[in-house]
Amino acid sequence: MEHPENIKPFGNGAGVRIANSAKACFDSIYSHPDPREYYRVLGGLNYVIPDLAKGIFRNLISALEDLKGRPIKVLDIGCSYGNNAALIRYPLEFASLQQRYMDLQNAEISTRELIALDRHFYASWPKHDVEIVGCDVSRPAVEFARAVGLIDASVTQNLEQEALSQASRDALRGVDLIISTGAIGYVTERTLSRVLEAIGEPRPWIASFVLRMFPYENFASLLDQHGHVTEKLNGVTFVQRRFQSEQEFRKVLHQLEALGIDSRNKEAEGLFHSEFYLSRPSGDCTEHPIEDLASVSSGICLPYGRRFRLGEDSVVRFSP
């Protein structure tokens, strides 16, 4: 268990911008009216964090259902096309969704037709009774997720730059659990502060998978002010995806080195790694220890394609 005072500081907004600039830009894949390109690009980079996170998210949902005695409401920050929602609601895997949309990549069907197909596809699976709100600045992605029934409500404002509208506040009312699998860094504590203020009481749990190049100290400090205790699941990291290019690989290793983070056996092996943080009211921490909630599969032993590696001789190689 790691508390806020033990978490490394990240620095100011300039530091966030520098870290973000090290990552490849995938903005274009979120501009499409359906997720075929999203799954083609990220699936092609072995994007595994949704599958690694879903077991933990399901455990958290189950714990909160027991605690509150009712179905709960989840907010997914950075929801894109609703993939986290799909994996939480249904007995599905990211790889199976990737294959579905890859099969439809060159099919001559419109987005309207795909929405109709997807509504029938998801309706054919047993569904967990949980309400999900999607938050993302990509309106096309969020609209698709809502159209096929993966999310029940949405927030598409850029909360880094603007205050919540009344409609967004209404959507956030009653949220019990906030989740994210890579949004930290793109969003800062400014977004989280606005979300928490809108949710109010009772205070939600916040579960975040955070790339190691984005330390969590600023978020933990904010959450401490809201009466939360922040814990980190120690001794494990979670693979996000392969690096998209040698340039991205080199930049991220440089950023980690600048932060004093050892990338050996992790990012230096060609894979982004994230850490898991959980913030809750202190009483909930005692009743449900983080170690009991986080059933861990780090993803390091999964089969991956050729990727960039940094050898002991400091030479970058592209290899299996």
Side-chain angles (χ1 to χ4, degrees):
M1 180 182 298
E2 184 163 332
H3 292 281
E5 61 269 19
N6 304 118
I7 299 172
K8 294 180 180 179
F10 183 49
N12 54 27
V16 174
R17 289 192 296 273
I18 291 170
N20 270 322
S21 68
K23 294 178 63 182
C25 179
F26 295 106
D27 288 353
S28 63
I29 67 174
Y30 299 96
S31 63
H32 296 267
D34 64 60
R36 282 175 279 192
E37 184 68 2
Y38 170 90
Y39 280 97
R40 184 189 71 81
V41 172
L42 290 184
L45 292 172
N46 300 118
Y47 186 61
V48 297
I49 189 63
D51 278 332
L52 302 180
K54 68 178 180 181
I56 292 178
F57 289 157
R58 288 174 178 174
N59 287 347
L60 297 176
I61 289 169
S62 178
L64 280 166
E65 288 170 341
D66 289 343
L67 188 67
K68 297 179 179 295
R70 57 168 173 78
I72 70 161
K73 185 173 182 178
V74 177
L75 169 66
D76 183 6
I77 296 181
C79 69
S80 66
Y81 292 92
N83 51 284
N84 280 335
L87 301 189
I88 288 171
R89 285 188 188 275
Y90 305 104
L92 295 168
E93 297 179 347
F94 187 88
S96 63
L97 294 177
Q98 176 195 349
Q99 187 60 56
R100 172 179 173 78
Y101 291 112
M102 287 295 291
D103 290 343
L104 294 169
Q105 179 73 16
N106 297 315
E108 295 183 359
I109 60 173
S110 66
T111 294
R112 182 188 294 272
E113 291 170 318
L114 181 58
I115 289 172
L117 287 172
D118 272 7
R119 290 188 69 88
H120 289 292
F121 170 74
Y122 289 116
S124 69
W125 292 94
K127 179 180 178 180
H128 189 99
D129 185 15
V130 58
E131 183 179 357
I132 301 179
V133 180
C135 178
D136 202 294
V137 295
S138 171
R139 187 174 294 275
V142 171
E143 288 179 348
F144 181 89
R146 193 164 184 181
V148 300
L150 291 176
I151 61 176
D152 303 289
S154 61
V155 175
T156 55
Q157 294 180 259
N158 184 342
L159 300 182
E160 292 294 298
Q161 300 177 3
E162 57 183 306
L164 283 158
S165 67
Q166 187 57 52
S168 295
R169 288 179 172 276
D170 292 342
L172 294 173
R173 188 176 297 118
V175 163
D176 302 292
L177 172 65
I178 300 172
I179 63 173
S180 66
T181 53
I184 302 303
Y186 294 111
V187 302
T188 70
E189 61 273 16
R190 185 179 298 112
T191 288
L192 183 58
S193 179
R194 284 172 168 156
V195 167
L196 290 173
E197 188 273 330
I199 294 172
E201 297 288 343
R203 291 168 292 176
W205 290 11
I206 301 95
S208 304
F209 287 85
V210 185
L211 290 177
R212 297 203 309 153
M213 61 196 290
F214 296 114
Y216 203 58
E217 187 271 344
N218 288 350
F219 287 90
S221 296
L222 169 68
L223 291 164
D224 180 66
Q225 297 171 24
H226 284 265
H228 289 76
V229 173
T230 296
E231 304 164 283
K232 185 177 83 171
L233 186 63
N234 285 322
V236 63
T237 58
F238 299 81
V239 172
Q240 189 196 58
R241 61 169 171 85
R242 289 186 290 118
F243 289 99
Q244 185 262 351
S245 66
E246 183 176 342
Q247 180 184 38
E248 181 185 50
F249 178 64
R250 289 184 179 276
K251 284 185 175 181
V252 169
L253 293 194
H254 178 74
Q255 178 66 22
L256 291 166
E257 182 180 6
L259 291 168
I261 298 173
D262 187 356
S263 65
R264 289 176 299 176
N265 300 316
K266 294 188 184 294
E267 291 84 1
E269 292 297 309
L271 302 166
F272 271 107
H273 282 252
S274 60
E275 296 173 311
F276 176 67
Y277 295 88
L278 180 61
S279 301
R280 300 171 289 170
S282 58
D284 296 344
C285 298
T286 303
E287 187 169 350
H288 294 280
I290 187 172
E291 292 81 6
D292 293 346
L293 297 170
S295 176
V296 174
S297 173
S298 74
I300 193 64
C301 295
L302 294 173
Y304 294 97
R306 292 169 63 85
R307 60 188 190 268
F308 300 98
R309 296 175 184 266
L310 183 67
E312 293 183 1
D313 55 2
S314 297
V315 174
V316 174
R317 295 180 175 86
F318 187 57
S319 63

